[in-house]
Amino acid sequence: YASDDEYEFVGREKYEQIRDHGTGTVETRWKRKDGHVIDVLLSSTPMDLDDLAKGVTFTALDISERKRAERTLVLQTEILNDTQHLTKVGGWQWDLARMTMTWTDELYRIHGFSQDDFEPGSMEHMERSLECYNPKDRPVIMAAFERCAADGQPYDLEFPFTAADG
């Protein structure tokens, strides 16, 4: 383990999980013989819950690459969010196969919505955001969306709107 505190934490956490769920799984860091520290996922399941002395099946999985990718994703997301906020540009993705829409944090802010205003993975984003536009502009916007969905035609539209929060 990278430290005595980490060793003690893992022991407490795993055996508490074993008591509560029958299996204990914890992410931690190990120091290899060469001194290099790696991220690992440890999992332990007793052969007999009533008698731990009968043995425990123990696995350790090196998750260093996954943890590195997670850290990179968090940093890149922070940069993207900061950049969108500074430039007042939001983005969204429309998954036609699943008929879902995902917005960036800045697009929520621009439209005056909270993420709590929408069911995750719904098309409610499109429906509710259209309400911000003048009723006479909505058919033009929908036609552009439909053309894009049908044949990938890009569109460039500009319309005034009133954010949901006024």
Side-chain angles (χ1 to χ4, degrees):
Y1 290 90
S3 70
D4 290 340
D5 289 342
E6 187 69 7
Y7 171 79
E8 290 171 16
F9 165 76
V10 169
R12 280 191 316 272
E13 182 67 22
K14 269 198 322 171
Y15 283 101
E16 182 178 321
Q17 288 180 22
I18 288 170
R19 232 182 356 266
D20 296 343
H21 308 289
T23 296
T25 303
V26 179
E27 289 184 10
T28 188
R29 301 192 71 172
W30 274 359
K31 190 184 298 185
R32 295 188 329 198
K33 285 184 181 183
D34 65 5
H36 183 76
V37 176
I38 62 171
D39 294 292
V40 292
L41 179 67
L42 304 177
S43 187
S44 302
T45 304
M47 304 296 246
D48 182 344
L49 276 173
D50 297 324
D51 186 1
L52 296 181
K54 288 186 177 177
V56 175
T57 301
F58 180 84
T59 60
L61 177 66
D62 182 347
I63 58 170
S64 299
E65 286 300 315
R66 186 192 87 198
K67 297 300 283 185
R68 193 172 5 271
E70 287 173 0
R71 288 188 292 272
T72 299
L73 182 59
V74 165
L75 287 172
Q76 289 176 344
T77 300
E78 289 173 1
I79 292 168
L80 174 64
N81 287 340
D82 289 347
T83 302
Q84 287 187 9
H85 184 69
L86 289 170
T87 60
K88 309 264 187 276
V89 172
W92 54 274
Q93 182 179 47
W94 181 6
D95 184 333
L96 294 170
R98 294 187 183 102
M99 287 307 289
T100 60
M101 187 169 274
T102 305
W103 283 11
T104 63
D105 292 344
E106 187 63 12
L107 200 58
Y108 281 103
R109 192 199 62 72
I110 290 168
H111 278 84
F113 290 116
S114 160
Q115 291 185 20
D116 296 333
D117 292 337
F118 300 100
E119 182 69 31
S122 72
M123 285 301 292
E124 195 176 4
H125 297 80
M126 180 184 295
E127 297 155 6
R128 299 268 308 277
S129 65
L130 279 173
E131 294 171 4
C132 297
Y133 294 88
N134 187 309
K136 71 177 179 57
D137 296 331
R138 293 176 194 167
V140 176
I141 296 168
M142 282 309 299
F145 284 174
E146 289 166 4
R147 270 194 318 279
C148 182
D151 57 16
Q153 288 296 312
Y155 61 89
D156 183 10
L157 303 173
E158 288 187 31
F159 293 103
F161 73 94
T162 302
D165 61 4

